[in-house]
Amino acid sequence: KQEVTQIPAALSVPEGENLVLNCSFTDSAIYNLQWFRQDPGKGLTSLLLIQSSQREQTSGRLNASLDKSSGRSTLYIAASQPGDSATYLCAVRPNGNTGKLIFGQGTTLQVKP
Amino acid sequence: DTAVSQTPKYLVTQMGNDKSIKCEQNLGHDTMYWYKQDSKKFLKIMFSYNNKELIINETVPNRFSPKSPDKAHLNLHINSLELGDSAVYFCASSQTEVATQYFGPGTRLTVL
């Protein structure tokens, strides 16, 4: 059974710092992995999607990496800003059940001005 | 120009009642989903529809019945509401079953 874990559960950093959020999954048989952002009381916003054959994806100050064999993904945020404060969720899409996303419990990030 | 919309945003009701949540997407996507986010913020898939056809049903009690009248709509009807049904319910859609999913703003259901 696929399980997704995100560590740490919460993180507080000063503005301008570079940071890394971690996601691990127990079954390496994934089709792709998606990172989302959730603001309080709001829905999820897709940030990056990495296919199983890819090693990384970049969008602006965000870079997501994927190491399928070790069951890990990281989301790197460069030069963090207070507007980056949100909960970041990692989700994997298993092979053979591609319509389904399995989510981690998220890392809540606070960037202090 | 809302991509995925849900109504209502908040729903407060008594135990035992029947309620519906509506979802519409204007993205032209083929696949739609319902997720439940519990009090610990854990997000779990409930149902998935592709071209109005049910493709995922994740051991959800049969009190929950999704209905897809057309590709742009996926509604969720809940019978005999229980306290444990209190959660935030999110609708989502994607172009295909493997593509990026786009989420609605959520419906916060409170069962008293």
Side-chain angles (χ1 to χ4, degrees), chain A residues 13-21 37 47-48 56-65 74-86 88 109 111:
Chain A
V13 300
E15 183 177 4
E17 200 162 289
N18 301 327
L19 59 102
V20 175
L21 306 181
R37 167 187 173 138
L47 298 173
L48 290 161
E56 64 179 84
Q57 280 281 359
T58 298
S59 175
R61 294 182 294 109
L62 304 179
N63 177 280
S65 70
T74 61
L75 180 67
Y76 174 81
I77 303 177
S80 58
Q81 303 169 358
D84 294 330
S85 298
Y88 290 81
L109 171 66
V111 181

Side-chain angles (χ1 to χ4, degrees), chain B residues 22-34 48-54 66-76 91-93:
Chain B
K22 295 186 177 181
C23 177
E24 177 180 1
Q25 53 96 2
N26 63 5
L27 298 167
H29 288 169
D30 286 343
T31 311
M32 295 186 73
Y33 312 82
W34 276 109
S48 173
Y49 269 72
N50 190 54
N51 275 316
K52 302 196 301 174
E53 201 172 310
L54 180 68
K67 285 187 173 49
S68 182
D70 55 58
K71 266 180 28 171
H73 296 85
L74 181 62
N75 303 322
L76 183 65
C91 176
S93 74

Side-chain angles (χ1 to χ4, degrees), chain A residues 19-66:
Chain A
L19 59 102
V20 175
L21 306 181
N22 296 296
C23 171
S24 61
F25 45 96
T26 54
D27 186 345
S28 62
I30 65 168
Y31 191 90
N32 57 33
L33 180 148
Q34 197 166 351
W35 281 94
F36 293 88
R37 167 187 173 138
Q38 185 175 24
D39 292 282
K42 299 281 177 68
L44 278 68
T45 301
S46 178
L47 298 173
L48 290 161
L49 183 145
I50 313 179
Q51 301 296 344
S52 62
S53 58
Q54 296 176 317
R55 298 285 291 182
E56 64 179 84
Q57 280 281 359
T58 298
S59 175
R61 294 182 294 109
L62 304 179
N63 177 280
S65 70
L66 175 63

Side-chain angles (χ1 to χ4, degrees), chain B:
Chain B
D1 61 345
T2 305
V4 182
S5 60
Q6 295 178 228
T7 53
K9 189 168 173 63
Y10 299 98
L11 187 52
V12 181
T13 188
Q14 300 285 337
M15 254 189 344
N17 284 349
D18 304 337
K19 290 293 178 186
S20 291
I21 307 172
K22 295 186 177 181
C23 177
E24 177 180 1
Q25 53 96 2
N26 63 5
L27 298 167
H29 288 169
D30 286 343
T31 311
M32 295 186 73
Y33 312 82
W34 276 109
Y35 287 87
K36 179 180 179 179
Q37 188 172 44
D38 62 25
S39 57
K40 295 182 180 177
K41 307 295 185 188
F42 188 56
L43 198 66
K44 189 171 180 183
I45 190 164
M46 300 172 68
F47 301 104
S48 173
Y49 269 72
N50 190 54
N51 275 316
K52 302 196 301 174
E53 201 172 310
L54 180 68
I55 55 172
I56 292 176
N57 181 341
E58 279 290 302
T59 59
V60 177
N62 57 15
R63 296 183 296 104
F64 291 79
S65 52
K67 285 187 173 49
S68 182
D70 55 58
K71 266 180 28 171
H73 296 85
L74 181 62
N75 303 322
L76 183 65
H77 188 76
I78 315 170
N79 289 327
S80 304
L81 278 155
E82 301 178 356
L83 293 176
D85 298 333
S86 296
V88 181
Y89 291 85
F90 287 99
C91 176
S93 74
S94 59
Q95 183 62 59
T96 67
E97 291 174 43
V98 299
T100 298
Q101 293 188 15
Y102 296 85
F103 280 69
T107 295
R108 182 174 292 277
L109 171 65
T110 303
V111 182
L112 303 174

